Amino acid sequence: MILFHTSDTIIKDPDIHRGRSNTDFGQGFYLTPDESFACSWARERTTSDIYVNRYELDTEGIKVKVLSRDEEWFSYIFDNRRSKADSLADYDVIIGSIANDTLFETYGIITSGLLTPDQALELLGIGPEYTQVAIKTDAGAKALQWIDAEVLSADAMAAGRKEYERQKTAFDEDFARMLEAQDE
């Protein structure tokens, strides 16, 4: 599996303990198999280049959990966001959809408590579906091999940002329609 991570540094040896524990898939090193998606989140910096790090993950001999946009996925994300014990801590790698509320900045609405879990799950199911891969353990990190890194051009970052804005506009419209329908 080829995976990508953008950063202002070349990351040959990812630190699985650096991230926050209350992120969607808990603490770990996050990547995506979608290079264009990884690039769309890069932001130009005046003090450094932005790199697209490329890795290969060998899943042979490690424990991998694949989640779909369903109740198990939803519960796992929300338990992690509430800093509950990681229910999938015995897995080396978690693969699943990125929660669109973090992508398109509707996080407060989804987690406000004003929506039922079914309503929140329905809202998280709209919009594009991007996959994230969280390397959770030392065994998972050992199975991840850095291949190379390329400097991401300013033009590529601008194109990625433009695509993100297009998707956000469409998402916001769909999200508003679904909220209105839930109120009826």
Side-chain angles (χ1 to χ4, degrees):
M1 175 183 275
I2 300 298
L3 300 168
F4 303 91
H5 179 92
T6 55
S7 177
D8 61 353
T9 59
I10 294 174
I11 304 172
K12 292 183 180 181
D13 298 307
D15 181 356
I16 61 169
H17 304 290
R18 187 169 182 227
R20 297 184 335 257
S21 61
N22 65 339
T23 54
D24 287 352
F25 289 179
Q27 192 166 37
F29 184 68
Y30 283 69
L31 308 104
T32 181
D34 185 340
E35 183 177 13
S36 64
F37 174 72
C39 295
S40 73
W41 279 88
R43 300 296 173 261
E44 193 170 3
R45 297 195 179 167
T46 58
T47 57
S48 66
D49 287 330
I50 301 299
Y51 299 94
V52 180
N53 289 278
R54 188 165 49 126
Y55 303 86
E56 183 173 13
L57 178 65
D58 180 2
T59 59
E60 187 72 31
I62 60 172
K63 200 167 176 187
V64 177
K65 175 68 174 179
V66 178
L67 296 169
S68 300
R69 277 184 174 173
D70 60 15
E71 289 179 18
E72 180 185 26
W73 168 80
F74 176 81
S75 294
Y76 185 62
I77 287 172
F78 277 74
D79 285 351
N80 285 329
R81 288 181 181 181
R82 294 181 184 112
S83 298
K84 291 187 177 183
D86 188 340
S87 62
L88 300 176
D90 58 329
Y91 286 91
D92 301 305
V93 175
I94 308 290
I95 301 172
S97 296
I98 297 170
N100 280 341
D101 63 335
T102 55
L103 291 181
F104 299 116
E105 303 158 11
T106 55
Y107 180 77
I109 295 169
I110 299 292
T111 59
S112 66
L114 299 173
L115 303 172
T116 67
D118 287 343
Q119 290 171 319
L121 177 58
E122 186 178 6
L123 286 167
L124 287 176
I126 63 172
E129 187 170 2
Y130 292 109
T131 300
Q132 64 186 353
V133 176
I135 308 299
K136 309 278 288 170
T137 66
D138 290 330
K142 287 178 184 165
L144 185 69
Q145 297 299 312
W146 181 81
I147 298 171
D148 61 18
E150 291 182 27
V151 174
L152 190 58
S153 72
D155 288 344
M157 282 185 271
R161 189 66 185 164
K162 185 176 181 179
E163 176 60 16
Y164 166 80
E165 292 300 334
R166 186 196 66 73
Q167 289 179 3
K168 181 174 180 1
T169 298
F171 175 84
D172 288 347
E173 291 168 359
D174 290 344
F175 192 84
R177 273 194 293 278
M178 284 190 85
L179 276 179
E180 288 171 3
Q182 288 180 356
D183 285 343
E184 295 172 358

